Each structure stands twice: as structure tokens, then as C-alpha cells.
Amino acid sequence: MKRATIQDGRKARRKSRLFRRLVLLLSFVILLSTATVLSIRFINHTFYSEDSVYALYDYWKSNEIEKVYELSGRILQKNVFQKTALTLRGYSAFKLAVANISDMNGAQDYLNEAINKLRVAIQVSGEKTQGQTYYVLGLAYFYRDKMSAYHYYADLALKYLLEAKDRDYRSDDISELLGHCYAELGETERSIQAFSEALLVHENASLLYNIAKGYYTLSESSAAKQYLARVLMTSQDDELKINSRNILGKIYINEGNYEAARKEFETILEKNANFADAHYGLGILYEKQGDNAKARAEWRKCLKLQVKHEGALQKLSEIK
């Protein structure tokens, strides 16, 4: 009897220990589940909330530029030096500037903000900043330069585009952009070199024209004529062809080939009767031939179309 009682006691103790272990295990499972749920909620709230950097990336990847612009602004209100928000605010501001290019004031405001945010992003990110940031900053200065009355920003556009290139950033238009910057800064030989590099990537009439214009500036008429001929053969752009013929007319005058020059200017006026430079060129042609009356008549026609044409104003003041 006593032995049975001892055995019953052992069984009771084993059941009690088993029960406690089950309770502890259940408590641990419940605690782990609760912690997991809370962690997931915390992570979602912290990283995947509507105002998170992750949401910002998602908007950027889906090309929702206005949302990127708005969300990056909200993030920067909380942390003015948040690198991703600074960078994407700059990128989105630039894209909005290009999209609203017809609204001069609005586009300028976007460009100013793009430049401001990207410059700060570069400072915050340090030397390891991706070349793309320098590229977009260079583009922003390039557009700012084009929209200004004077070319005050070509040097900054050049600086940041070169920084992007030095960091091995690849974009098919970098060489062409550099060509324009060098041309605006009067570095004609470098502009020709840059445009020629761009020509190796993709040949188009605009590049051919800019190379020709560079050679004309350097008084290398033979090279200029070769590229202008290629423009006239390949381009479907009437304005580009007219500008090419205008340079050809000037070259022919300098060479003393007056009949060829006349043909170029008259062809221009057949296409566009309001092209003032063609009348100016004809005036120079008549002056070279000693017919000052016809020369003055052409310069007066030029001024009717372009009141402040410097060449025509100067010629009429010199030749009575």
C-alpha cells in the first residue's frame, strides 16, 4: 500500500513538471509570436510607411516624379541632410523643370532647387558620390545656362559634367553637352573634339553642324564646308539647313566666290523670307562688288526683320 502511494506521488510530480514545461513552452510561443508581430509592425511603420525612404524609392522606380518631389520634401522637413531624399528631390526637381520648360519662371524655380539640393547631396555623400549626381547637376546648370540671357553657367555645367565623366558615368549625350559648354566658353578646339567624340556614338545633323560652325570660327573653311555639305545631304531640319547655307554663303564671300554666295542666300530667302542674316549677307556681297546702294537696301531689309542686328546697324553707319 505504501509502495503504491509512493508511485502515485511520483506520477503526480511528473505530471506537474510536464504541465509546467507545457505552460512555459506555450508562454514562450505566445511571447515570440507577440514580439514577431510587434517587430513586423515596427519595421513596416519605420521602413515601409508612406513617408519612408523605401516608399520614395518605389515612387522613383515607377517614375511617379511628382510624388517623389512631394515625399522627398516631407522627409527633408524631418531630416534636412537625409542623403537619399536630397538626391531624389534634386533629380525630381530637374525632371519637373524640363517638363515645364515652357513656363520660364516655374522651370527656373525647379532648376534652382535641383541645383541647391544636389550640391548639398554631394557634400553630404562625400567622395563616393555616384557619378549620376554630378551628371544631373551638370545638366541642371546646362539648362540654366540656356535659359539665361547671358551664358553665366556654362563653366559650372562643364565642371560637373567632367566630374561625372571622371567617375566613369556613362551617358550618350555627355560628349555633346561638353561640346556645347566649350563652345559657349570660346574653347572652340575643345568643342570640336567633344562634338567629334559624340559623332562616334551617334551621327546626326546637329552634331555635324556644330562641328562645321567650330571650324568656321577657326577660319578652317575647307573642313567647315565638308561638314556643312553633309548637313545639307542628311538633315530633314529646314532651320538647320538654312543656318548651314548661311555659313556657306559667308565662306564663299571670303573666298571671292560671289555667285555661289548669292545662290546660298537666295535659296535661304526662298525657304524663309524673314531670315534677316540672309539680307545682311547679300548686303556684304553687294558691298564687295562695289554696289553700295544695293548693299544699303539689303541692310535696311535686315533691320526691318531684326531691329537690333548689330552688323547691319554698323554697316549703315559706316557706308553712306
Side-chain angles (χ1 to χ4, degrees), residues 107-117 144:
Q108 284 278 19
D109 289 341
Y110 281 127
L111 282 176
N112 290 341
E113 183 169 16
I115 289 169
N116 175 269
K117 293 298 187 292
R144 194 174 183 182

Side-chain angles (χ1 to χ4, degrees), residues 225-293:
K225 285 194 293 185
Q226 290 179 33
Y227 281 97
L228 291 170
R230 289 169 66 182
V231 174
L232 294 174
M233 284 190 298
T234 62
S235 179
Q236 302 299 316
D237 186 330
D238 286 340
E239 183 178 357
L240 203 58
K241 292 169 77 170
I242 283 174
N243 287 329
S244 296
R245 290 189 181 280
N246 189 48
I247 294 177
L248 275 174
K250 294 176 183 178
I251 291 173
Y252 287 138
I253 287 176
N254 292 336
E255 293 177 343
N257 190 345
Y258 298 143
E259 189 55 39
R262 184 197 309 277
K263 182 179 179 181
E264 296 299 338
F265 293 132
E266 289 178 348
T267 300
I268 290 172
L269 292 173
E270 287 174 5
K271 297 288 184 179
N272 181 2
N274 296 319
F275 193 79
D277 277 344
H279 288 293
Y280 176 74
L282 284 172
I284 297 295
L285 173 61
Y286 289 132
E287 179 190 16
K288 293 285 186 181
Q289 293 178 321
D291 194 336
N292 289 342

Side-chain angles (χ1 to χ4, degrees), residues 42-227:
F42 175 77
I43 291 171
N44 284 336
H45 178 74
T46 304
F47 298 105
Y48 296 98
S49 67
E50 290 184 359
D51 282 356
S52 70
V53 172
Y54 286 87
L56 188 60
Y57 273 125
D58 286 341
Y59 285 141
W60 180 254
K61 289 176 183 177
S62 59
N63 202 35
E64 297 180 73
I65 302 304
E66 291 186 358
K67 288 185 177 180
V68 172
Y69 182 79
E70 293 169 3
L71 176 52
S72 59
R74 292 199 298 271
I75 293 174
L76 290 172
Q77 286 178 350
K78 299 173 185 176
N79 181 359
V80 293
F81 295 116
Q82 212 293 324
K83 292 185 288 187
T84 302
L86 280 167
T87 302
L88 292 185
R89 179 75 169 187
Y91 289 178
S92 58
F94 172 72
K95 288 202 168 209
L96 289 171
V98 175
N100 293 277
I101 202 73
S102 58
D103 175 11
M104 183 70 72
N105 292 329
Q108 284 278 19
D109 289 341
Y110 281 127
L111 282 176
N112 290 341
E113 183 169 16
I115 289 169
N116 175 269
K117 293 298 187 292
L118 292 175
R119 286 178 69 107
V120 176
I122 287 172
Q123 294 301 316
V124 171
S125 301
E127 289 299 320
K128 293 184 179 179
T129 301
Q130 292 183 350
Q132 185 177 10
T133 304
Y134 285 95
Y135 169 72
V136 178
L137 181 55
L139 271 181
Y141 273 120
F142 182 83
Y143 273 82
R144 194 174 183 182
D145 182 71
K146 291 299 179 184
M147 295 174 68
S148 64
Y150 301 96
H151 299 294
Y152 292 139
Y153 304 104
D155 59 334
L156 289 168
L158 179 67
K159 173 185 175 180
Y160 289 109
L161 289 169
L162 286 174
E163 290 277 9
K165 193 174 182 181
D166 288 344
R167 283 166 172 75
D168 293 324
Y169 182 75
R170 297 285 184 264
S171 180
D172 288 347
D173 63 350
I174 283 186
S175 293
E176 183 171 359
L177 292 167
L178 290 173
H180 286 294
C181 291
Y182 283 127
E184 297 295 354
L185 294 170
E187 299 186 45
T188 306
E189 291 183 356
R190 287 186 173 180
S191 75
I192 292 173
Q193 181 180 351
F195 285 132
S196 298
E197 289 176 4
L199 204 62
L200 297 175
V201 178
H202 60 285
E203 181 170 323
N204 62 57
S206 179
L207 288 171
L208 294 170
Y209 172 75
N210 282 302
I211 293 171
K213 191 163 63 171
Y215 279 124
Y216 173 72
T217 301
L218 295 175
S219 299
E220 296 185 26
S221 300
S222 179
K225 285 194 293 185
Q226 290 179 33
Y227 281 97

